Amino acid sequence: MPLNRLGLVVHQGRPAAVAAAGTARQWCAARGIACTDIDVWREGEPRHGGQEEAEAAGHPGSIITFGGDGTFLRGARIAAKDGASVLGVNVGRVGFLTEITTDQVEDALDVLHRDQAVIEERMVLTLRASRPLQTPVGLDTVLCYGRGPALPAPTLRPAGPQPVGWGVALDVTAVNDVVLEKLARDRQASVAVYLAGQLLASYSADAVIMATPTGSTAYNFAAGGPVLDPAADAIVFTPVAPHMAFGRTVIAAADEAIAVRVLPHSGRVAVSIDGETRGVLDPGDWVAVYRAPYRLRLARLAPLEFYHRLRERFQLADAPATAIDQTPLFHRPDSPPPDDLAHLRLHTPPVA
């Protein structure tokens, strides 16, 4: 479907992002395409949930973000639940999630308008909880100092009567991760973790992370967790600085839920979603993290070569001992794959 309404999410603190967004507005004006800024931070005004932002913007079919990965996640949370595609313009430092540079904005808009973008679907997470999430008065000011206003606590998803024990359904989307972390330096987050309805272990830790494959290269990666191909469907559970012998990551099937209950002797625990605090849990509270029934639609100019991007963005270095090997780097042949490989997802990566 050709582009008929565009939403822009702009990092206003970066002049290059503001200038690139101006290019997009001029492109839209020249073609009579509606263009609306989304998730604008205004002094003294609260931020809104993703569905509210999408409705206020007239439900754009595509959203473009101008900034780094954090700005991209702002746009993605709005796009995911509304079925819009999202494309990121990299004006950040790492830009693992973003797709293009500022000089490619007009070309990317032409591709979107011709409906020729490659749409890549990613698994995202959502939550149920023992009660609606809330943040104590004044705590959001401390947690968000220097970062702009906080997002509101998630609202409840419309639902009929629920069987006792399943908790309340939260209207929230996590593209990268859901993290439960201690609030006080001297009080660990003590939690019991359940997989497939069975107790895995009880942890005292700085935090526990439930990440998507997309989010495996974010906080999970920094905490020593594994890197997953974003095309995979799985939930990655990684404890952060656990006070126990078993501190390994567990990779759960995508059709399982990971439930985390705050133990009676724990300190209070903050719940952050894609890096933004959305509520606080008290001892006895619990949350369940599981795959959402919808997926995030990423717009790309070409299919993602994930491992090439992994090597490039993280500046992976080769072992010195490999320097003596002058054999050209392996690449896949241009001919069709043989029958025993035909069922695989085979892209031809760029030859470095």
Side-chain angles (χ1 to χ4, degrees), residues 201 203 205 223-225 237-250:
Y203 295 83
F237 170 78
T238 299
V240 180
H243 286 230
M244 60 187 297
F246 181 77
R248 302 296 183 88
T249 290
V250 175

Side-chain angles (χ1 to χ4, degrees), residues 62 85-88 99 112 117-120 297-301:
S62 294
S85 65
V86 60
L87 181 145
E99 171 70 1
L112 287 174
V118 175
I119 301 298
E120 177 185 324
R297 302 176 69 244
L298 271 65
R300 299 196 178 281
L301 305 190

Side-chain angles (χ1 to χ4, degrees), residues 18-328:
V18 175
T23 299
R25 292 189 192 95
Q26 293 172 7
W27 184 96
C28 288
R31 291 158 181 80
I33 295 173
C35 181
T36 306
D37 281 53
I38 303 177
D39 197 22
V40 178
W41 298 353
R42 294 186 175 91
E43 187 68 31
E45 293 187 16
R47 293 175 70 188
H48 304 285
Q51 200 61 49
E52 289 179 283
E53 290 282 0
E55 290 174 1
H59 299 285
S62 294
I63 293 174
I64 298 183
T65 69
F66 299 84
D69 286 346
T71 307
F72 177 86
L73 290 170
R74 287 170 53 196
R77 75 178 177 88
I78 299 166
K81 284 185 294 188
D82 208 44
S85 65
V86 60
L87 181 145
V89 179
N90 184 29
V91 196
R93 289 180 292 276
V94 178
F96 203 90
L97 296 173
T98 51
E99 171 70 1
I100 63 171
T101 55
T102 55
D103 59 348
Q104 295 176 292
V105 170
E106 290 185 322
D107 289 342
L109 286 166
D110 288 338
V111 169
L112 287 174
H113 195 42
R114 294 194 300 265
D115 199 20
Q116 293 178 340
V118 175
I119 301 298
E120 177 185 324
E121 295 192 345
R122 297 277 185 94
M123 167 187 159
V124 295
L125 300 173
T126 191
L127 302 177
R128 280 182 171 266
S130 55
R131 61 172 175 82
L133 293 182
Q134 296 177 332
T135 301
V137 176
L139 185 59
D140 55 344
T141 302
V142 176
L143 296 175
C144 297
Y145 178 77
R147 298 182 59 193
L151 282 167
T155 58
L156 302 187
R157 295 202 302 269
Q162 299 295 314
V164 175
W166 289 102
V168 296
L170 302 180
D171 190 18
V172 69
T173 300
V175 176
N176 268 356
D177 50 39
V178 177
V179 178
L180 275 63
E181 54 195 326
K182 66 181 185 181
L183 271 177
R185 175 70 176 83
D186 60 345
R187 295 292 302 276
Q188 293 294 104
S190 296
V191 297
V193 177
Y194 299 81
L195 278 170
Q198 300 180 22
L199 178 66
L200 171 67
S202 294
Y203 295 83
S204 284
D206 285 357
V208 292
I209 305 167
M210 283 71 67
T212 63
T214 299
S216 69
T217 52
Y219 190 11
N220 168 75
F221 178 83
V227 173
L228 272 66
D229 188 308
D233 270 12
I235 305 176
V236 185
F237 170 78
T238 299
V240 180
H243 286 230
M244 60 187 297
F246 181 77
R248 302 296 183 88
T249 290
V250 175
I251 300 176
D255 59 355
E256 294 176 348
I258 300 180
V260 182
R261 179 169 59 88
V262 184
L263 296 175
H265 59 280
S266 176
R268 298 175 101 182
V269 174
V271 180
S272 66
I273 299 171
D274 289 341
E276 300 202 52
T277 302
R278 305 298 297 274
V280 172
L281 300 179
D282 294 320
D285 292 335
W286 59 264
V287 296
V289 179
Y290 55 98
R291 178 179 61 183
Y294 48 87
R295 301 175 78 85
L296 175 66
R297 302 176 69 244
L298 271 65
R300 299 196 178 281
L301 305 190
L304 172 67
E305 298 295 350
F306 173 69
Y307 298 106
H308 177 76
R309 177 168 293 191
L310 183 70
R311 178 182 175 88
E312 179 186 64
R313 299 296 168 87
F314 285 163
Q315 299 180 348
L316 301 184
D318 298 316
T322 64
I324 62 174
D325 184 1
Q326 300 300 314
T327 305

